[in-house]
């Protein structure tokens, strides 16, 4: 690691050289800024048209489809949703030619569909993914990949047996910020990782999942029986359908919806398989609207030492009652500095080792044998890496990764094994909260201890 860090410091290049000209040439607060360039190219000789279907045409499904259709030679053929209003909107948005249905199995029967986007409520992810793979379709499944830990291996086995390409939709895995952070950590920019933390904050009704309920959203326009067919039978409840993230039968709360993004980024950057011990606490502090999940959640996680990284601890926070107007970040702290990682930016903050003029500290340094008290010329304490303005974004690149793998029989950034290892600690965070106990997890074999 020491050699890697020396190499990293050498790569600072011109900035460090300018600073060396004079101890007063650049103040310590100076930020060195550089752009992150995308090396991805999704233009291939094998650029055959991929025919796509969307299953689950809500907010995320619509966003995913719009991102997918920004790529060349991708055609939307069919849309499935249990609410008829979304099917009508799909035709208005993407064309009258679309085949629309409330039964996803009708989509999977079609021979003219190569791949499907699954953006349903979480409790349908497992079954639709398995059915789609068994039907010979490539799969893009929104995060979390499964609704509970016990479902993970069923999806992984179906994927392995299918020969198809499946990617999980934590789009940050394909972001320039994550890629740069992974490179910097490997180069030793912040030394050895010892701690990480992530924060996801919101303060709005929509951000807290109080989505609008359509005026025509009723049992005539929604196939409620099919929606609840794999869970507890209940009378029609529009909130449980249109605001499903608030209810445990259908969603996975703050951790399954948002912590999983932070796990995905952290595991990608560190090459980690996941934590072994998980705990959580929180509460319902503000959005007391009948929901079954907290609106403030804190999670702590213990990552063991492995061949990929030293042992470290992780803390995650999610707050839907946030007075700062919303903040999202992942911070990785090492022995020599830290990194604040966002999808489009990385800020590296390096320790300053300038000699102190405090007589006591100078005497302590002398007793340690550090007699050299000359002024140190240091590199900037903040290095900022920002994605170029022409970058099309993580969503675009994530779909490009999937389409390229489909056309070349290649691999993706977030296959089901990676996706499950990111989902499992998030889901176990819920279990810890509701069961009020530590959860023990085996990230290598992907099972509860």
């Amino acid at each position: 690691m020491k050699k890697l860090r020396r190499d990293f410091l050498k790569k600072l290049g011109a900035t460090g050289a300018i600073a060396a000209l004079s101890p007063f040439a650049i103040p310590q607060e100076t930020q060195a800024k550089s752009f992150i360039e995308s090396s991805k190219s999704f233009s291939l000789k094998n650029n055959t048209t991929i025919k796509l279907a969307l299953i689950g045409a809500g907010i995320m499904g619509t966003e995913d489809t719009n991102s997918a259709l920004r790529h060349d030679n991708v055609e939307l053929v069919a849309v499935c949703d249990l609410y008829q209003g979304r099917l009508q909107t799909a035709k208005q948005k993407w064309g009258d030619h679309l085949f629309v249905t409330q039964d996803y199995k009708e989509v999977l029967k079609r021979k003219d569909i190569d791949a499907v986007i699954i953006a349903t409520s979480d409790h349908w992810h497992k079954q639709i993914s398995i059915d789609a793979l068994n039907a010979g379709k490539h799969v893009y499944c929104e995060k979390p990949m499964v609704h509970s830990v016990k479902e993970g291996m069923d999806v992984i086995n179906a994927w392995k047996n299918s020969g198809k390409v499946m990617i999980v939709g934590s789009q940050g895995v394909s972001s320039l910020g994550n890629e740069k952070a992974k490179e910097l950590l490997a180069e030793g920019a912040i030394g050895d990782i010892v701690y990480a933390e992530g924060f996801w904050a919101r303060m709005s009704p929509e951000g807290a999942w109080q989505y609008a309920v359509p005026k025509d959203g009723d049992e005539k326009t929604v196939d409620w029986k099919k929606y609840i067919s794999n869970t507890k039978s209940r009378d029609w409840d529009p909130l449980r359908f249109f605001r499903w993230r608030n209810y445990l039968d259908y969603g996975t709360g703050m951790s399954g919806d948002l912590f999983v993004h932070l796990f995905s980024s952290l595991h990608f950057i560190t090459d980690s398989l996941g934590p072994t011990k998980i705990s959580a606490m929180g509460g319902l502090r503000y959005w007391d609207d009948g929901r079954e999940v907290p609106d403030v959640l804190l999670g702590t996680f213990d990552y063991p030492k492995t061949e990929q990284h030293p042992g470290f601890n992780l803390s995650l926070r999610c707050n839907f009652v946030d007075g700062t107007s919303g903040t999202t970040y992942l911070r990785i702290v090492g022995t020599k500095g830290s990194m604040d990682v966002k999808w489009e930016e990385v800020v590296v903050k390096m320790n300053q080792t300038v000699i102190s003029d405090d007589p006591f500290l100078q005497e302590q340094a002398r007793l340690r044998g550090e007699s050299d008290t000359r002024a140190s010329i240091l590199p900037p304490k903040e290095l900022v890496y920002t994605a170029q303005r022409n970058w099309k974004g993580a969503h675009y690149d994530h779909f490009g990764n999937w389409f390229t793998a489909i056309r070349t029989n290649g691999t993706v950034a977030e296959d089901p094994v990676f996706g499950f290892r990111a989902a499992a600690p998030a889901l176990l965070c819920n279990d810890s909260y509701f069961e009020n106990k530590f959860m023990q997890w085996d990230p290598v074999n992907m099972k509860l201890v």
Side-chain angles (χ1 to χ4, degrees):
M1 180 60 75
K2 289 183 178 179
K3 180 181 183 302
L4 289 171
R5 181 168 169 78
R6 284 197 300 270
D7 292 342
F8 165 75
L9 293 174
K10 287 179 181 178
K11 287 172 66 177
L12 290 177
T15 304
I18 293 170
L21 294 175
S22 165
F24 308 107
I26 299 179
Q28 287 187 352
E29 289 75 20
T30 296
Q31 288 185 333
K33 296 184 179 181
S34 60
F35 288 106
I36 313 171
E37 296 184 9
S38 177
S39 60
K40 297 185 181 72
S41 175
F42 303 121
S43 177
L44 301 168
K45 292 181 180 178
N46 175 17
N47 212 10
T48 54
T49 298
I50 294 173
K51 296 191 175 182
L52 193 63
L54 170 63
I55 301 174
I59 297 171
M60 204 62 231
T62 299
E63 178 70 20
D64 285 339
T65 302
N66 288 336
S67 295
L69 294 177
R70 292 171 65 196
H71 288 268
D72 294 334
N73 297 321
V74 175
E75 178 185 341
L76 184 64
V77 174
V79 175
C80 171
D81 198 277
L82 295 178
Y83 168 48
Q84 292 175 6
R86 290 182 186 144
L87 299 179
Q88 296 167 6
T89 300
K91 283 202 166 191
Q92 294 169 2
K93 190 172 299 180
W94 297 307
D96 285 333
H97 69 282
L98 290 177
F99 171 77
V100 296
T101 178
Q102 288 180 288
D103 185 355
Y104 77 87
K105 292 183 179 179
E106 291 186 3
V107 169
L108 301 184
K109 289 177 183 176
R110 291 181 66 100
K111 304 293 185 183
D112 59 343
I113 292 172
D114 303 307
V116 297
I117 298 171
I118 301 170
T120 63
S121 49
D122 300 343
H123 74 304
W124 275 106
H125 285 183
K126 170 202 167 184
Q127 194 57 55
I128 299 177
S129 293
I130 291 174
D131 289 346
L133 291 166
N134 290 342
K137 312 301 183 187
H138 303 285
V139 171
Y140 183 110
C141 181
E142 265 303 326
K143 53 75 201 161
M145 186 182 83
V146 289
H147 187 240
S148 68
V149 169
K150 65 183 180 182
E151 297 176 343
M153 293 310 299
D154 290 338
V155 176
I156 289 172
N157 291 335
W159 164 64
K160 288 182 176 179
N161 293 331
S162 72
K164 296 299 175 179
V165 179
M166 179 172 174
I167 192 170
V168 180
S170 287
Q171 301 85 8
V173 172
S174 295
S175 70
L176 292 185
N178 277 2
E179 290 177 3
K180 188 63 181 180
K182 183 182 182 75
E183 174 189 323
L184 291 169
L185 184 65
E187 289 178 346
I190 62 169
D192 292 324
I193 181 173
V194 292
Y195 171 74
E197 65 177 354
F199 188 33
W200 205 299
R202 293 174 175 175
M203 183 53 175
S204 70
E206 295 77 18
W209 307 329
Q210 284 193 335
Y211 305 132
V213 177
K215 292 181 179 179
D216 69 340
D218 55 35
E219 285 186 278
K220 294 180 180 178
T221 60
V222 174
D223 193 337
W224 174 251
K225 289 184 179 179
K226 188 173 293 179
Y227 178 71
I228 63 171
S229 63
N230 64 351
T231 185
K232 183 179 179 179
S233 179
R234 297 178 186 272
D235 292 336
W236 161 248
D237 185 341
L239 297 185
R240 285 180 173 270
F241 184 81
F242 291 104
R243 298 180 181 177
W244 57 266
R245 283 187 168 89
N246 291 316
Y247 304 96
L248 292 171
D249 281 351
Y250 329 109
T252 50
M254 304 173 90
S255 57
D257 191 51
L258 299 173
F259 279 6
V260 70
H261 277 304
L262 299 169
F263 282 117
S264 298
S265 292
L266 179 69
H267 292 180
F268 175 80
I269 293 166
T270 62
D271 288 325
S272 178
L273 301 183
T276 53
K277 189 192 302 185
I278 296 152
S279 67
M281 64 177 60
L284 188 58
R285 311 302 183 193
Y286 184 82
W287 299 102
D288 193 6
D289 53 6
R291 67 183 61 201
E292 299 170 345
V293 293
D295 56 12
V296 173
L297 188 66
L298 312 175
T300 56
F301 311 87
D302 193 28
Y303 280 73
K305 180 180 179 181
T306 68
E307 291 183 5
Q308 289 76 28
H309 56 72
F312 66 93
N313 291 92
L314 168 69
S315 68
L316 297 180
R317 296 174 290 153
C318 200
N319 181 11
F320 282 177
V321 198
D322 186 67
T324 69
S325 74
T327 305
T328 301
Y329 68 84
L330 173 66
R331 176 171 295 149
I332 300 174
V333 180
T335 54
K336 301 294 184 181
S338 67
M339 289 190 292
D340 288 352
V341 185
K342 298 180 181 180
W343 289 7
E344 73 289 344
E345 180 185 81
V346 181
V347 178
V348 179
K349 299 178 182 179
M350 296 190 297
N351 288 345
Q352 298 291 295
T353 57
V354 64
I355 300 300
S356 172
D357 59 0
D358 186 304
F360 172 77
L361 294 179
Q362 287 184 346
E363 176 62 15
Q364 292 299 306
R366 187 189 66 78
L367 293 173
R368 290 196 302 269
E370 299 172 4
S371 58
D372 188 354
T373 58
R374 291 177 300 168
S376 299
I377 304 302
L378 303 173
K381 67 179 181 182
E382 283 197 8
L383 307 173
V384 180
Y385 300 88
T386 303
Q388 288 188 323
R389 290 185 178 181
N390 62 355
W391 180 50
K392 296 181 179 180
H395 284 75
Y396 178 88
D397 283 2
H398 210 53
F399 274 99
N401 182 212
W402 185 44
F403 294 143
T404 299
I406 290 172
R407 291 183 173 116
T408 63
N409 195 30
T411 59
V412 294
E414 189 175 11
D415 65 24
V417 172
F418 185 106
F420 183 42
R421 284 187 169 131
L427 300 175
L428 292 174
C429 199
N430 276 337
D431 293 343
S432 174
Y433 172 80
F434 287 105
E435 297 176 26
N436 193 28
K437 66 179 185 181
F438 282 101
M439 308 302 296
Q440 307 289 335
W441 173 246
D442 177 352
V444 177
N445 296 303
M446 295 176 284
K447 63 182 182 180
L448 281 168
V449 177

